[in-house]
Amino acid sequence: MSTTATPGTTTTPAPPRPSAINPSRTTATATRVLRQLRHDPRTIAMMILIPCLMLFLLRYVFDGSPRTFDSIGASLLGIFPLITMFLVTSIATLRERTSGTLERLLAMPLGKGDLIAGYALAFGTLAIIQSALATGLAVWFLGLDVTGSPWLLLLVALLDALLGTALGLFVSAFASSEFQAVQFMPAVIFPQLLLCGLFTPRSNMHPVLEAISDVLPMSYAVDGMNEVLKHTDMTANFVRDALIVAGCAFLVLTLGAATLRRRTA
């Protein structure tokens, strides 16, 4: 099959876009993002220190009732990193879009998967630090009493932070300003917070709300934390909950790559 060019016109083929994720391109993207974040200490402080500060305040809000802190502290250990990473990631990624950085990157032979994976790797690195500090503070300094291994708490906290990162990357595609990015929080985070089982067991909810909570990833994050709180060993339910949270994060990252696009033609 042959093609015939129209006389008087010149066609410049677009550079081929890589279809597979390349480790070197992904690492280069992550390094660039981390280098930019290094010059923004306020953002780094928000990501790493705010969850620790919230847990510290929560512990002494319930100073006269340490059992209450034990019952909800583990759940919030996963929720706080998710919320923080969602906010920071959505706003930071939006800045990349509005400043034209993302536009220039998409004009290069760089795959969308490389970009999303690079952002996820960069923010995921900070999520590891954040989750480790928050878990260590809660268990070894604030005296959070858990039956299971603190390492399992750390695993769920890390998965929650990565889920927040993925959600932040995804919603940034639909916002045109930082204010709009923040507005997504009531729509994306607050319903999950109310329905995750933090305030009341999900089985006590209206059947419709219980059914909705069954498809929200934060519900399984809280369930996973509760499994560690009550059982000495890793249970099948814990493995299920952790896999669901990880699967949701991967799915949202895939959707984020699909919605990544240039703002101009």
Side-chain angles (χ1 to χ4, degrees):
M1 181 177 180
S2 62
T3 58
T4 304
T6 304
T9 62
T10 302
T11 302
T12 302
R17 186 165 297 280
S19 57
I21 294 179
N22 182 281
S24 62
R25 292 193 297 260
T26 298
T27 304
T29 301
T31 302
R32 179 187 61 80
V33 174
L34 288 173
R35 190 180 299 117
Q36 290 178 337
L37 287 174
R38 187 182 61 184
H39 299 292
D40 190 356
R42 287 178 298 181
T43 298
I44 295 178
M46 180 178 178
M47 282 190 287
I48 294 178
L49 299 180
I50 290 298
C52 295
L53 177 61
M54 293 296 101
L55 286 169
F56 185 85
L57 290 176
L58 183 70
R59 168 62 182 85
Y60 291 102
V61 164
F62 296 108
D63 190 40
S65 180
R67 288 186 177 274
T68 303
F69 176 71
D70 291 337
S71 64
I72 67 173
S75 298
L76 292 177
L77 183 59
I79 291 174
F80 284 157
L82 189 156
I83 294 175
T84 305
M85 294 305 296
F86 173 83
L87 280 174
V88 173
T89 305
S90 59
I91 293 174
T93 308
L94 182 63
R95 287 179 183 174
E96 296 267 271
R97 295 175 184 272
T98 56
S99 66
T101 301
L102 191 61
E103 184 83 5
R104 294 190 294 271
L105 290 173
L106 288 175
M108 299 169 60
L110 185 68
K112 292 182 179 181
D114 294 316
L115 281 174
I116 290 295
Y119 284 120
L121 179 60
F123 288 109
T125 301
L126 293 174
I128 293 174
I129 300 173
Q130 177 199 74
S131 301
L133 286 176
T135 303
L137 175 69
V139 175
W140 289 295
F141 184 78
L142 298 180
L144 180 66
D145 186 16
V146 294
T147 301
S149 170
W151 294 106
L152 296 181
L153 281 183
L154 174 60
L155 174 61
V156 180
L158 176 58
L159 291 176
D160 291 342
L162 293 177
L163 176 61
T165 298
L167 290 171
L169 288 170
F170 177 66
V171 303
S172 68
F174 305 99
S176 57
S177 67
E178 293 182 13
F179 179 68
Q180 288 186 2
V182 174
Q183 285 180 314
F184 275 105
M185 185 171 175
V188 176
I189 300 298
F190 285 178
Q192 296 192 66
L193 186 62
L194 293 174
L195 299 177
C196 68
L198 177 65
F199 302 104
T200 185
R202 292 192 288 129
S203 58
N204 294 343
M205 297 178 185
H206 188 280
V208 174
L209 295 181
E210 183 182 0
I212 295 174
S213 72
D214 287 340
V215 298
L216 298 178
M218 192 182 291
S219 300
Y220 297 95
V222 171
D223 287 349
M225 288 295 192
N226 288 333
E227 287 292 313
V228 180
L229 200 64
K230 299 174 183 177
H231 300 90
T232 56
D233 299 322
M234 182 186 299
T235 64
N237 287 338
F238 174 86
V239 174
R240 179 206 63 188
D241 296 333
L243 288 176
I244 289 176
V245 175
C248 288
F250 179 78
L251 175 62
V252 174
L253 284 176
T254 303
L255 293 175
T259 58
L260 195 64
R261 63 188 184 279
R262 298 180 62 178
R263 288 189 176 275
T264 59

